[in-house]
Amino acid sequence: MFIRKKRYRELEKLQSELEDVKCHLEETQNDMIRERDKAEDLMFENMELEEKCREQGSIISCLKKVLLQLVSEGANYEGVYHEVSTALDPEGDQLYDVAKKITHIDVCSFFPTEDNLGYFTEANGYVLLDWIIKAKFGDIDWEPLNPPYEIAGKVSYEGQEENISDFYKELYKETVLQMLS
């Protein structure tokens, strides 16, 4: 009789453990169903976003073609640049890169003292473009800093107005064409 009671207790214990396992299994299955539903929702959201991206890409491609056509018909490149720059070149980096290609001027090499003083570290493309203009067209008064070092001082552009204007026309044209290609 003692053996039967012992086995009965063991059986009760096993049944209790089995019930615990069943509960845990049911909770796990419910968790898996919830996670599957979340994954499906995310998959549908992703598909919708991909479709919107394709639509936007088509619109952008179409707009680029229209802008390119307008530009090639003699539009004002500077005006076009300023219209699209907030979206396509907010820091002026593309404008600066094209200016570098046209002039073959590396601002840091041309103004090494200013570079060493950190003038260009946080500069955006528009600021660096101003330095290219100084280097290309300016008559710079070099001021001694600490011999033999000099720093750019006052700059005169006297007599360079037409050259600067021509440069900007070429710069805006090349930049717009690069942005739209």
Side-chain angles (χ1 to χ4, degrees):
M1 179 161 216
F2 177 72
I3 294 178
R4 280 189 183 162
K5 283 186 179 182
K6 184 177 177 184
R7 284 192 175 162
Y8 182 73
R9 277 190 239 134
E10 286 176 359
L11 180 61
E12 282 181 334
K13 183 180 175 189
L14 287 173
Q15 284 177 335
S16 175
E17 288 176 4
L18 180 60
E19 286 301 315
D20 290 345
V21 168
K22 283 181 181 179
C23 285
H24 182 69
L25 179 61
E26 189 175 317
E27 288 174 9
T28 302
Q29 286 175 330
N30 289 336
D31 288 345
M32 288 175 62
I33 290 169
R34 280 191 296 274
E35 291 301 318
R36 185 195 67 211
D37 291 345
K38 285 181 188 176
E40 286 176 355
D41 290 344
L42 288 173
M43 185 179 69
F44 287 122
E45 283 180 39
N46 186 43
M47 288 170 49
E48 289 173 358
L49 288 173
E50 285 176 350
E51 179 61 28
K52 285 180 183 178
C53 285
R54 278 191 294 278
E55 290 171 5
Q56 294 297 320
S58 296
I59 292 170
I60 289 171
S61 177
C62 181
L63 287 174
K64 280 184 173 184
K65 288 177 187 175
V66 169
L67 278 173
L68 196 55
Q69 184 178 6
L70 287 172
V71 166
S72 65
E73 293 173 0
N76 175 358
Y77 288 102
E78 182 177 358
V80 172
Y81 174 80
H82 289 297
E83 286 295 323
V84 300
S85 65
T86 55
L88 301 177
D89 193 24
E91 297 293 317
D93 295 325
Q94 290 187 59
L95 196 66
Y96 168 69
D97 288 340
V98 172
K100 246 172 58 171
K101 286 179 192 172
I102 292 171
T103 62
H104 305 287
I105 292 174
D106 175 51
V107 171
C108 295
S109 297
F110 197 92
F111 299 100
T113 304
E114 288 81 352
D115 182 36
N116 287 331
L117 292 172
Y119 283 31
F120 312 126
T121 305
E122 298 292 324
N124 66 25
Y126 297 115
V127 171
L128 294 171
L129 176 60
D130 289 341
W131 285 92
I132 284 181
I133 299 298
K134 284 179 189 178
K136 177 78 175 167
F137 302 106
D139 183 14
I140 303 170
D141 288 337
W142 295 96
E143 299 174 0
L145 183 64
N146 187 3
Y149 302 105
E150 295 179 317
I151 192 166
K154 190 175 180 180
V155 180
S156 170
Y157 299 101
E158 190 174 320
Q160 292 294 324
E161 294 81 6
E162 189 174 327
N163 291 336
I164 292 172
S165 177
D166 291 343
F167 170 75
Y168 273 114
K169 285 177 187 172
E170 181 183 1
L171 175 63
Y172 284 119
K173 178 181 178 181
E174 294 301 318
T175 304
V176 166
L177 293 175
Q178 176 180 301
M179 290 167 66
L180 297 177
S181 62

